[in-house]
Amino acid sequence: MIGPADEIKARLDIVDVIKDYVQLKPAGRIFKGLCPFHNEKTPSFTVTPDRQMWHCFGCNKGGDVISFITEKEGLNFIEAIRFLAPRAGVVLKKYESRDNSLKTRALDALDEAADYYAKTFQKMSNNSSARQYIANRGLSEEIIEEWLVGFSPNSWDDLMIYLKNNGFSEREIESAGLSVKSQRGSGFYNRFRNRIMFPIRDAAGQTVGFTARVLPGSPEAETMGKYVNSPQSIVFDKSKILFGLDKAKNYIREIGFAVVVEGQMDALTAHQFGFKNTVASSGTALTEEQMSQLSRFCQTVVLALDADEAGQKAVERVGDLGHSADDRFIEARDRWGRLRQFIDPAKGYKLNIKVAVIPSGKDPDEAIRQSPEAWRLAINNAVSLAEFYFERSINGLDLSTPEAKTIAANRFLPFVNKLPSELDKDYWFKKMAAVLHVDNKVIYSLANSFKKGTFIETKAINQPKPQNQAKRMDRTEILSENLLAAVLKYSSYLPYIADYVLPESIALGNPQILYKELIVYYNETKRSQGQRLEIFALDYNKFKRWLLGKDCLEEVKYLDKLVVLAEKDYFAYDNAKIDAEIKTIANDLAKIYLNKRRVELGRLIIDYEAKGRNDENIKNVHELMKELAFLNDELKRLS
């Protein structure tokens, strides 16, 4: 049976496809033009219609129509097939397995939804809240139409009805992340309601999800997150998508670098003002998958994240990924036996990362509107990651004191140790020594101590270490603290936790004691309020007084610590994010507990078998084996 790739190649004329990208001129039985993959003045790019092939004699690239699209559009083979299929009139569904067919239908549903939301927005009057919000943000009609900015009405089922009328099933709509299963019955309802909709597309321009912005002043603005993204699904993984890459990729390749901002509005404004090599991470930190995508189009990425602390921390996390990118080259022998450097195929990219200092400490959207020229200068004057780290390391410190010098060294030297170039390391070691007014040998010695895993105290080096240092927490303790902190802040999840988290799975000591007391308090409150308790809301002060009344003094101190932790770590979480966080932690704690219990059962079984095969021991082993089988089933379910 002919495959989709062969059918696409049979139906498409390679000349017609390439003409969309290259100005081709006939030269006998072939066509010639300037190569789109390298700079040249004399045409060396050749297309042969008879063989349906292309080749550049300048850069030595070549292939068929599919390989041209993968190279030009920065797509993988499967993405290129999907990109070309509509043009060729090829229906991919007949080639796909059942799961892939569902994926195709989900993608089609997302395209329909994007069109529906966009048309809904276009029909709205200029006095509507959605229109006024977009007008206040300064988006032009051209950008609104080009990016299909839309609106989801305040309806539970309008999109569901529209998609069903267009032939989509409830399963296909849910698989697209567009509906939510009702907990009160068997039906579904719209996931997005009364929100401004920004379609999220992959590099090929296929809609894979949405970011939905709540209208200012609406009731949802108080109870729900400002922005809600599509859930992870068979077609959408937020960590692998860069908002706007489908429109920015050719500009990125042409200009030579990509600019990464945080939010969708930042990216839209950048494109409106002509900075068309801009994409958005739809969060605060780039992932390895996103960086790998950018590496298809350029070798340099400029981070222009928000100037707040979260944005700057995100830059540091990207710096760690950048180092791993530098480590992606491996030494191996080629087929002639010569020792050469190759990109490790399991890793695959290398990027030069720079950081732009946003003018006036604003977010990109505001900075661009205030002064496009200042923004352009900030991007062009972006500094290297090393320079960014260096400035952050010494920022706010009085470097005349030994304590401050040690803090600066602690901050910066671990970063320098990861630099791939010895020349770069030497430069930054000497610069740090000069700024701290210490001998170069001191900096080299401290750097070596980091390589060996020796931690440098943040107090002066010659001062004695404190005697009472906190012990390092294990994974169960960390997860337990995070779960308790999250539930204290988002106490509506306490009924879920009470049902699904065993006290034995919580770390021993204060975490487990406080958790048990919290469950007792919740049950007492539920009994006292009866049917009136629909959503549990923890009154922190009442709970604290209740603990004091039971002489739980240590638990009260621990409670105070958790409340601070909650505000520090979870203050910016929206409903979807905290839901995923709490359920993931609960799942991880359960798996750790079950694995520990499984080990304990294995030891008990060995002990009983060693005692001999009498009736009592055989019975005990049988019971333990039943429990072990149950634990194995539970672990499979949780995984």
Side-chain angles (χ1 to χ4, degrees), residues 158-219:
D158 65 314
L159 180 67
M160 294 282 298
I161 294 170
Y162 173 80
L163 292 176
K164 285 181 179 179
N165 289 340
N166 279 275
F168 293 96
S169 68
E170 286 187 340
R171 184 187 178 208
E172 290 165 348
I173 298 169
E174 183 190 23
S175 297
L178 294 168
S179 65
V180 178
K181 186 174 178 61
S182 173
Q183 295 187 2
R184 297 183 179 180
S186 59
F188 293 82
Y189 59 88
N190 292 339
R191 178 177 294 277
F192 303 111
R193 301 178 303 281
N194 201 32
R195 286 177 179 262
I196 297 165
M197 305 299 293
F198 300 97
I200 301 172
R201 302 179 185 86
D202 61 18
Q206 168 67 58
T207 305
V208 293
F210 292 92
T211 288
R213 208 282 183 197
V214 70
L215 288 176
S218 67

Side-chain angles (χ1 to χ4, degrees), residues 486-487 490 493 570 573-583:
V487 172
Y490 298 91
Y493 281 91
Y570 297 119
Y573 276 44
D574 60 24
N575 285 6
K577 194 172 181 181
I578 196 63
D579 183 81
E581 174 80 359
I582 287 175
K583 290 177 180 177

Side-chain angles (χ1 to χ4, degrees), residues 330-549:
I330 57 174
E331 276 197 346
R333 295 192 181 277
D334 61 20
R335 56 180 175 165
W336 293 284
R338 296 174 300 192
L339 195 63
R340 298 178 59 191
Q341 276 201 333
F342 295 90
I343 295 176
D344 186 340
K347 298 174 180 175
Y349 69 83
K350 183 179 175 74
L351 286 173
N352 174 31
I353 302 170
K354 294 186 174 183
V355 183
V357 179
I358 298 179
S360 306
K362 305 181 184 334
D363 61 55
D365 175 36
E366 186 180 358
I368 293 169
R369 293 184 185 284
Q370 188 175 82
S371 176
E373 188 54 37
W375 177 261
R376 189 186 309 278
L377 286 173
I379 298 301
N380 291 339
N381 294 329
V383 300
S384 68
L385 260 179
E387 186 71 45
F388 168 81
Y389 267 82
F390 181 78
E391 292 298 329
R392 273 185 67 83
S393 297
I394 62 176
N395 187 41
L397 296 177
D398 177 9
L399 296 179
S400 64
T401 67
E403 292 84 0
K405 291 179 180 182
T406 307
I407 291 172
N410 277 338
R411 290 175 177 175
F412 188 57
L413 295 182
F415 170 86
V416 180
N417 275 339
K418 296 176 185 177
L419 292 175
S421 167
E422 293 300 322
L423 289 174
D424 286 342
K425 288 180 185 178
D426 186 65
Y427 171 83
W428 288 108
F429 285 154
K430 288 178 178 175
K431 184 164 183 176
M432 176 58 82
V435 168
L436 298 185
H437 299 290
V438 298
D439 193 280
N440 290 347
K441 293 179 181 178
V442 174
I443 297 299
Y444 282 102
S445 174
L446 294 178
N448 284 329
S449 71
F450 278 108
K451 286 182 181 178
K452 296 173 183 176
T454 304
F455 179 75
I456 306 171
E457 292 299 319
T458 55
K459 293 188 176 182
I461 297 170
N462 59 352
Q463 288 186 0
K465 294 182 180 181
Q467 296 300 310
N468 299 319
Q469 295 188 18
K471 72 178 183 70
R472 176 177 259 173
M473 295 170 64
D474 64 25
R475 178 163 170 75
T476 302
E477 289 171 323
I478 293 170
L479 289 172
S480 299
E481 279 206 351
N482 288 343
L483 181 69
L484 287 167
V487 172
L488 286 171
K489 185 167 179 61
Y490 298 91
S491 55
S492 60
Y493 281 91
L494 193 52
Y496 170 85
I497 296 301
D499 287 339
Y500 289 100
V501 178
L502 293 171
E504 294 82 1
S505 67
I506 301 295
L508 293 172
N510 284 332
Q512 192 174 111
I513 296 171
L514 183 64
Y515 178 71
K516 290 177 178 178
E517 295 294 348
L518 185 59
I519 298 302
V520 171
Y521 179 77
Y522 162 69
N523 287 326
E524 286 185 5
T525 306
K526 188 167 63 171
R527 280 195 298 272
S528 66
Q529 296 190 20
Q531 297 298 320
R532 293 177 295 163
L533 186 63
E534 295 180 0
I535 298 178
F536 182 75
L538 179 70
D539 186 319
Y540 164 71
N541 290 319
K542 283 184 179 179
F543 179 51
K544 189 173 181 178
R545 288 196 295 270
W546 184 84
L547 286 173
L548 289 170

